[in-house]
């Protein structure tokens, strides 16, 4: 037990140090505060640091990440100069001070080592504010039904939800620090988007930091100052250092032996390494990528715990938070490094720092489908697949009409990076490595294709198969996004489409693999023809399951002008030449792009048209060298603006189609038009769907000659019936009823045969209702007049 005098001395030192940190707003004061923190930690043992982490550490977080008190204005409304440490560093452009702050927060510094030492002794626990959790987590934590499943569905919250005055998230020092580290980019992105009037994100009332932290046995610290913004480059530098130190990617097998067996771990195995790594990966993924998704968990997993997403009632259908490009791209690049050691080839493995880039596998490797796995246990990629797919798709679907496409273009950059993992090299991290080592990177040399790797090889087939929707379905959705925003910035949108199509055609082997998967996906039964297609057919059920799960809750009614339809996307149509297939949509995009680019400045016109010519060539190569075919209809050039608005006008808030746009989906479930009564149309649609299901009209009739020959139609030969055996009107009535039933059965059989379904929606037409009303009025008036006459 510590002496009383020493305890009082430690408390007073911690309070003085907290005051010094909160008052540090100049470069000299910040540097002095960092030195004071390090000096205090060096001179105290872990069991003597309780007061430091209960009083001083929250103040340090307040100053570094810019979280202020309740009276502080928001970033969008602040007119006073920022006084946060990172803001001061940015304004002063002081690299020495930046290095000083990074040294304090470094994973190898005294602060981090003290955090781990204090956590081993369990000296301090914090309560993290519920209002700073991801949106779906806040919703589930407030629901008595769902809060019990939250801990199991969210790995980073497992074992951390406890019941106090209410249900709280209680964290140790390391977890508490990482939660605030993860929350910062979301907070900054929300503030930035509000200041630019892009996406209306509701602001929650800022509370004081001391009310966000409750430490066992110690009161909150004094009033915190207001700071706002963290400079992105320093944040990315800090993030990279933590990923490199705490999340292994090159030796996952060494950190998780016997993961899929019942054997005991070896003596040298440290389970805390993988536990900490999985905590960080899940924390970053859920804060930055899942975040405000209304279907945050795999559907089957959620239902197994009694949770039924999507949470549309609590989580709005809005795009992901903007401004997260740097952190998400760094996370995606770093985690995909683990695919090198996930079993795609031992020759792909390389120690970190052994070479400036990966060892490139030989292109002559043979294709072994039996060795492919959709879910390798030794890769972080499985943590990214569903969340990142929905993150990218929601960015394209929910990008508001008339807004800037800046955020969508940043998300596009992340998608392109994910499509080409074989092009990621250690050179991508050289700037950050130089910053961590305190050296200055040499002038950038012009990168050649060889310095970036040799592109796609057969060893990456497992990656492409397990992420096939990124190369097919997501491409179709992006083409819809490109049509929707082409008039906003035709040059940029055309370049984006060219980039995607160039990636898909960059390798003949990649294109062949995509086509073979597409053939397997659409083939009803495999024959002796293409053995590769037959072998790939075993992955089709998993791809169908992914398509249904990853796009859960996303449909046409939620997205202005999207190409994601309730029935259209049950099949992948990138390679299809049908009316709504990829070939027709890309041809139409090229025609529209040529028309739109005529309005660009003359100095940029030649380059823009060259881009279109390149796109034509790439699209032709993608579809087997076919020349771009003319579209069945032509755009009238007399009124190009009017014609474009009529053809590509997005849906309004009530899911109404433009009057000139022809709906090509299921006619019964088409969006409500202006000549219909909305509530009655929805009611009649539900009744029609129920009748079709009860009558079995949703499934086509199965033609089976043997079955038809074996079953004869029941009938009654009246001529052979003895009149004396007819009991009278009762038997005659039964015969008539049986005849009516037989007639109805025949009608139903014909309806099934020709695909005819019950559709009562026509009665919701305003014209029909008007005629019905007039008829009722006529009948009433006729009876009234008849009674008056009599």
């Amino acid at each position: 037990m510590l002496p009383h005098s020493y305890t009082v001395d430690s408390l007073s030192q911690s309070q003085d140090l907290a005051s010094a940190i909160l008052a540090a707003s100049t470069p000299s004061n910040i540097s002095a505060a960092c030195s004071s923190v390090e000096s205090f930690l060096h001179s105290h043992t872990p069991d003597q640091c309780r007061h430091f982490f209960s009083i001083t550490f929250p103040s340090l977080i307040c100053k570094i990440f810019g979280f202020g008190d309740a009276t502080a204005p928001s970033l969008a409304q602040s007119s006073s100069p920022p006084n946060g440490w990172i803001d001061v560093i940015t304004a002063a452009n002081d690299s020495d001070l930046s290095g000083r702050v990074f040294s304090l927060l470094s994973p190898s510094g005294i602060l981090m080592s003290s955090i781990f030492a204090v956590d081993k002794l369990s000296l301090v626990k914090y309560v993290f504010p519920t209002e700073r959790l991801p949106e779906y987590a806040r919703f589930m934590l407030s629901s008595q039904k769902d809060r019990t499943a939250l801990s199991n569905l969210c790995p980073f919250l497992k074992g951390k939800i406890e019941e106090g005055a209410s249900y709280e998230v209680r964290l140790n020092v390391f977890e508490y620090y990482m939660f605030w580290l993860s929350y910062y980019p979301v907070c900054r992105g929300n503030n930035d988007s509000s200041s630019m009037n892009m996406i209306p994100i509701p602001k929650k009332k800022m509370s004081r930091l001391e009310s966000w932290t409750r430490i066992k046995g110690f009161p909150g610290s004094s009033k915190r100052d207001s700071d706002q913004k963290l400079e992105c480059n320093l944040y990315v530098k800090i993030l990279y250092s933590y990923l490199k130190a705490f999340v292994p990617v090159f030796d996952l097998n060494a950190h998780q032996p016997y993961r899929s067996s019942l054997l005991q771990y070896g003596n040298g195995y440290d389970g805390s390494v993988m536990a900490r790594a999985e905590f960080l990966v899940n924390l970053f993924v859920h804060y930055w990528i899942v975040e405000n998704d209304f279907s945050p968990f795999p559907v089957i997993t959620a239902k197994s715990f009694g949770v039924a997403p999507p949470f549309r009632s609590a989580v709005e259908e809005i795009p992901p938070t903007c401004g997260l490009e740097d952190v998400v791209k760094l996370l995606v690049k770093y985690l995909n490094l683990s695919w090198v050691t996930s079993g795609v080839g031992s020759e792909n493995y390389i120690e970190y720092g052994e070479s400036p880039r990966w060892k490139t596998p030989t292109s002559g490797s043979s294709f072994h489908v039996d060795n492919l796995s959709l879910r390798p246990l030794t890769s972080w990629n499985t943590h990214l697949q569903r969340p990142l797919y929905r993150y990218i798709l929601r960015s394209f679907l929910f990008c508001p009409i008339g807004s800037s496409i800046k955020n969508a273009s940043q998300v596009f950059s992340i998608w392109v990076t994910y499509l080409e993992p074989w092009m990621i090299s250690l050179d991508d991290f050289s700037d950050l490595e130089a910053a961590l080592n305190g050296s200055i990177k040499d002038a950038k040399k012009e990168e050649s294709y060889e310095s970036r790797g040799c592109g796609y090889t057969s060893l990456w087939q497992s990656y492409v198969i397990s992420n096939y929707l990124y190369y097919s379905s997501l491409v179709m959705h992006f083409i819809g996004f490109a049509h929707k925003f082409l008039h906003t910035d035709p040059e940029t949108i055309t370049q984006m489409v060219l980039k995607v199509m160039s990636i898909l055609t960059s390798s003949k082997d990649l294109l062949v693999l995509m086509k073979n998967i597409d053939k397997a996906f659409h083939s009803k039964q495999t024959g002796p023809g293409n053995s590769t297609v037959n072998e790939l057919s075993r992955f089709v059920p998993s791809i169908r399951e992914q398509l249904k799960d990853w796009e859960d809750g996303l449909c046409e009614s939620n997205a202005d002008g999207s190409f994601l339809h309730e029935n259209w996307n049950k099949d992948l149509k990138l390679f299809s030449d049908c009316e709504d297939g990829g070939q027709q949509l890309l041809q139409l995009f090229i025609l529209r792009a040529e028309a739109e680019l005529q309005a660009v400045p003359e100095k940029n016109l030649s380059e823009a048209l060259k881009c279109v010519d390149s796109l034509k060539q790439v699209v032709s190569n993608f579809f087997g060298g076919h020349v771009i075919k003319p579209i069945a209809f032509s755009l009238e050039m007399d009124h190009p603006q009017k014609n474009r608005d009529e053809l590509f006008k997005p849906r309004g808030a009530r899911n109404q189609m433009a009057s000139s746009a022809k709906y090509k989906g299921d006619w019964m479930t088409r969006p409500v038009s202006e000549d219909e009564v909305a509530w009655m149309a929805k009611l009649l649609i539900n009744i029609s769907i129920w009748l079709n299901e009860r009558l079995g009209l949703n499934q086509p009739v199965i033609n089976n000659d043997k079955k038809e020959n074996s079953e004869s139609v029941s009938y009654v030969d009246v001529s052979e019936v003895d009149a004396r055996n007819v009991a009278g009107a009762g038997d005659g009535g039964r015969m008539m009823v049986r005849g009516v039933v037989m007639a109805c059965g025949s009608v139903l059989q014909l309806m099934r045969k020709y695909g005819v379904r019950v559709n009562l929606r026509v009665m919701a037409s305003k014209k029909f209702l008007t005629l019905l009303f007039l008829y009722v009025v006529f009948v009433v008036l006729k009876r009234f007049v008849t009674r008056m006459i009599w």
Side-chain angles (χ1 to χ4, degrees):
M1 186 173 180
L2 296 178
H4 179 72
S5 59
Y6 186 87
T7 303
V8 174
D9 181 63
S10 176
L11 174 62
S12 62
Q13 288 185 21
S14 298
Q15 291 175 340
D16 294 341
L17 187 55
S19 301
I21 290 173
L22 292 173
S25 299
T26 62
S28 58
N29 291 338
I30 293 174
S31 180
C34 292
S35 300
S36 299
V37 170
E38 292 177 343
S39 176
F40 180 93
L41 295 175
H42 278 297
S43 59
H44 291 76
T45 60
D47 58 347
Q48 298 170 350
C49 293
R50 181 188 294 246
H51 291 103
F52 172 85
F53 283 103
S54 64
I55 298 175
T56 310
F57 189 62
S59 302
L60 186 62
I61 292 177
C62 174
K63 293 299 292 184
I64 291 174
F65 296 114
F67 304 123
D69 59 13
T71 60
S74 65
L75 180 61
Q77 301 172 342
S78 178
S79 58
S80 59
N83 61 350
W85 285 7
I86 305 302
D87 299 313
V88 173
I89 293 171
T90 304
N93 195 21
D94 191 337
S95 58
D96 293 335
L97 183 59
S98 176
R100 186 73 188 87
V101 174
F102 175 78
S103 177
L104 175 65
L105 304 177
S106 170
S108 59
I110 181 62
L111 177 61
M112 190 60 66
S113 61
S114 298
I115 288 175
F116 289 135
V118 169
D119 282 340
K120 285 184 178 180
L121 299 175
S122 299
L123 293 180
V124 179
K125 283 286 186 179
Y126 300 91
V127 173
F128 192 78
T130 303
E131 62 269 24
R132 305 306 166 201
L133 293 172
E135 290 193 34
Y136 73 88
R138 295 199 302 268
F139 167 69
M140 293 183 67
L141 201 61
S142 63
S143 171
Q144 185 176 3
K145 174 185 175 183
D146 297 330
R147 71 166 62 105
T148 55
L150 182 61
S151 179
N152 294 316
L153 290 171
C154 298
F156 68 96
L157 290 175
K158 190 172 184 63
K160 300 174 179 62
I161 300 177
E162 301 179 19
E163 185 176 4
S166 60
Y167 280 89
E168 303 168 335
V169 177
R170 298 183 181 178
L171 310 170
N172 61 28
V173 182
F174 177 77
E175 295 165 346
Y176 181 74
Y177 173 58
M178 289 301 169
F179 264 68
W180 283 117
L181 180 81
S182 305
Y183 170 71
Y184 171 73
V186 179
C187 176
R188 183 189 62 186
N190 289 340
N191 287 331
D192 288 346
S193 62
S194 298
S195 63
M196 292 186 295
N197 296 321
M198 288 179 56
I199 304 171
I201 298 179
K203 285 289 169 291
K204 304 162 186 65
K205 183 178 180 181
M206 294 292 290
S207 57
R208 298 176 61 172
L209 185 60
E210 53 263 44
S211 67
W212 296 355
T213 62
R214 196 184 318 155
I215 301 98
K216 291 182 178 179
F218 295 94
S221 55
S222 58
K223 181 179 179 180
R224 271 57 175 166
D225 292 341
S226 168
D227 358 276
Q228 299 295 339
K229 195 175 183 181
L230 182 66
E231 198 272 332
C232 180
N233 290 336
L234 179 57
Y235 181 89
V236 171
K237 178 182 173 182
I238 295 171
L239 172 64
Y240 176 70
S241 68
Y242 292 154
L243 287 174
K244 183 180 176 183
F246 304 135
V247 182
V249 290
F250 289 99
D251 54 351
L252 285 182
N253 289 320
H255 290 284
Q256 46 186 5
Y258 320 119
R259 180 161 185 164
S260 59
S261 72
L262 298 178
L263 299 178
Q264 297 294 327
Y265 293 157
N267 294 330
Y269 171 71
D270 184 5
S272 63
V273 174
M274 282 307 300
R276 183 171 57 205
E278 290 182 349
F279 164 76
L280 285 180
V281 170
N282 283 293
L283 183 67
F284 295 150
V285 167
H286 279 259
Y287 256 104
W288 302 337
I289 302 179
V290 178
E291 194 209 351
N292 56 8
D293 191 351
F294 52 79
S295 180
F297 315 113
V299 177
I300 297 178
T301 304
K303 288 183 178 179
S304 66
F305 288 100
V307 178
F311 307 122
R312 290 195 187 92
S313 60
V315 181
E316 296 184 51
E317 295 168 351
I318 58 176
T321 301
C322 65
L324 300 180
E325 176 195 14
D326 291 335
V327 294
V328 174
K329 182 184 287 188
L330 174 61
L331 183 66
V332 169
K333 280 186 175 183
Y334 184 83
L335 294 183
N336 266 352
L337 289 176
S338 64
W339 194 271
V340 186
T341 59
S342 64
V344 294
S346 58
E347 63 266 37
N348 232 11
Y349 178 81
I350 183 173
E351 293 290 344
Y352 196 88
E354 176 183 321
S355 171
R357 61 184 178 89
W358 294 357
K359 289 180 179 178
T360 306
T362 58
S363 57
S365 301
S366 59
F367 175 28
H368 298 289
V369 178
D370 293 337
N371 295 331
L372 299 182
S373 173
L374 277 177
R375 298 186 182 277
L377 291 175
T378 54
S379 171
W380 291 114
N381 184 259
T382 53
H383 290 71
L384 291 174
Q385 288 179 341
R386 186 186 192 271
L388 187 63
Y389 183 90
R390 293 182 63 84
Y391 174 84
I392 297 171
L393 182 53
R394 289 188 298 124
S395 298
F396 292 154
L397 289 184
F398 301 144
C399 185
I401 289 290
S403 67
S404 170
I405 63 171
K406 178 181 178 182
N407 186 44
S409 63
Q410 292 176 347
V411 174
F412 173 82
S413 175
I414 298 171
W415 177 36
V416 168
T417 300
Y418 194 84
L419 288 178
E420 292 187 294
W422 46 84
M423 300 302 290
I424 300 175
S425 72
L426 296 182
D427 287 336
D428 295 328
F429 304 98
S430 57
D431 289 331
L432 293 169
E433 281 293 325
L436 294 182
N437 298 330
S439 59
I440 301 176
K441 186 184 176 184
D442 297 335
K444 277 190 175 182
K445 298 179 181 179
E446 185 177 356
E447 292 183 356
S448 62
Y449 183 77
E450 289 76 12
S451 68
R452 301 290 301 171
C454 294
Y456 173 83
T457 67
S458 59
L459 293 178
W460 288 98
Q461 288 174 109
S462 180
Y463 181 92
V464 174
I465 292 175
S466 62
N467 294 280
Y468 183 67
L469 295 186
Y470 284 87
Y471 297 85
S472 54
S473 179
L474 197 54
V475 176
M476 286 294 291
H477 297 317
F478 173 70
I479 294 173
F481 167 83
H483 273 288
K484 178 180 173 182
F485 283 92
L486 178 61
H487 67 282
T488 303
D489 191 344
E491 293 178 87
T492 302
I493 295 296
T494 304
Q495 291 172 0
M496 291 166 71
V497 175
L498 175 60
K499 177 64 177 176
V500 171
M501 299 308 298
S502 298
I503 291 174
L504 300 183
T505 57
S506 61
S507 169
K508 182 180 179 181
D509 293 338
L510 174 61
L511 188 56
V512 169
L513 175 62
M514 292 177 58
K515 289 183 177 180
N516 286 336
I517 299 175
D518 185 75
K519 290 178 182 177
F521 186 89
H522 292 98
S523 61
K524 296 182 179 179
Q525 58 182 5
T526 57
N530 192 332
S531 59
T532 302
V533 173
N534 294 342
E535 290 177 336
L536 289 171
S537 297
R538 69 188 183 92
F539 296 108
V540 171
S542 298
I543 295 175
R544 290 190 185 276
E545 181 183 351
Q546 286 179 344
L547 181 61
K548 183 178 180 180
D549 179 38
W550 293 3
E551 297 187 358
D552 175 57
L554 298 171
C555 62
E556 176 187 314
S557 60
N558 303 325
D560 257 353
S562 80
F563 280 78
L564 177 60
H565 297 268
E566 294 176 0
N567 295 318
W568 287 17
N569 207 48
K570 61 184 178 183
D571 288 330
L572 305 179
K573 296 189 176 182
L574 177 60
F575 291 95
S576 174
D577 59 352
C578 63
E579 190 175 12
D580 56 334
Q583 187 170 352
Q584 292 288 343
L585 293 178
L586 283 170
Q587 291 180 32
L588 180 58
F589 176 83
I590 291 173
L591 291 178
R592 291 192 62 211
E594 288 179 329
E596 293 283 353
L597 289 173
Q598 299 298 325
V600 304
E602 186 175 354
K603 62 179 181 179
N604 300 332
L605 181 59
S606 60
E607 291 295 327
L609 293 179
K610 286 181 181 178
C611 182
V612 174
D613 292 338
S614 300
L615 180 59
K616 288 181 181 179
Q617 183 62 39
V618 171
V619 171
S620 297
N621 296 337
F622 185 78
F623 291 104
H626 298 295
V627 179
I628 299 297
K629 301 176 182 179
I631 301 297
F633 62 90
S634 59
L635 299 177
E636 299 179 6
M637 299 307 296
D638 296 337
H639 305 284
Q641 180 69 28
K642 179 180 178 181
N643 191 287
R644 180 194 67 200
D645 292 341
E646 290 177 351
L647 287 176
F648 300 99
K649 184 177 180 181
R651 288 160 199 72
R654 298 181 181 270
N655 302 331
Q656 295 179 350
M657 295 284 291
S659 58
S660 61
K662 183 179 179 181
Y663 184 80
K664 301 177 180 62
D666 186 354
W667 187 245
M668 184 188 299
T669 59
R670 69 189 185 278
V672 177
S673 59
E674 295 179 354
D675 61 345
E676 292 180 311
V677 179
W679 66 268
M680 183 171 291
K682 295 178 181 179
L683 175 63
L684 293 174
I685 288 172
N686 293 331
I687 296 175
S688 301
I689 293 174
W690 180 82
L691 287 174
N692 288 322
E693 290 178 353
R694 298 290 294 179
L695 298 175
L697 297 177
N698 290 329
Q699 298 179 352
V701 67
I702 300 176
N703 292 326
N704 193 326
D705 296 337
K706 295 182 180 180
K707 182 178 180 180
E708 290 179 358
N709 293 333
S710 63
E711 295 181 1
S712 60
V713 180
S714 300
Y715 64 93
V716 178
D717 191 352
V718 180
S719 62
E720 298 180 0
V721 177
D722 189 351
R724 290 174 298 178
N725 295 330
V726 177
D731 288 341
R734 283 192 292 272
M735 292 174 63
M736 292 182 62
V737 170
R738 186 175 183 182
V740 171
V741 172
M742 290 170 57
C744 293
S746 300
V747 172
L748 289 175
Q749 187 175 1
L750 289 174
M751 292 177 69
R752 295 190 190 100
K753 181 177 180 180
Y754 294 102
V756 180
R757 294 183 298 166
V758 176
N759 186 2
L760 303 178
R761 183 171 178 172
V762 293
M763 293 189 294
S765 171
K766 293 180 180 178
K767 294 180 181 179
F768 178 84
L769 293 176
T770 302
L771 292 176
L772 181 62
F773 176 76
L774 292 176
Y775 174 76
V776 172
V777 171
F778 172 76
V779 171
V780 171
L781 289 177
K782 182 179 178 181
R783 290 184 177 180
F784 178 75
V785 172
T786 303
R787 290 183 178 180
M788 291 293 294
I789 293 175
W790 289 98

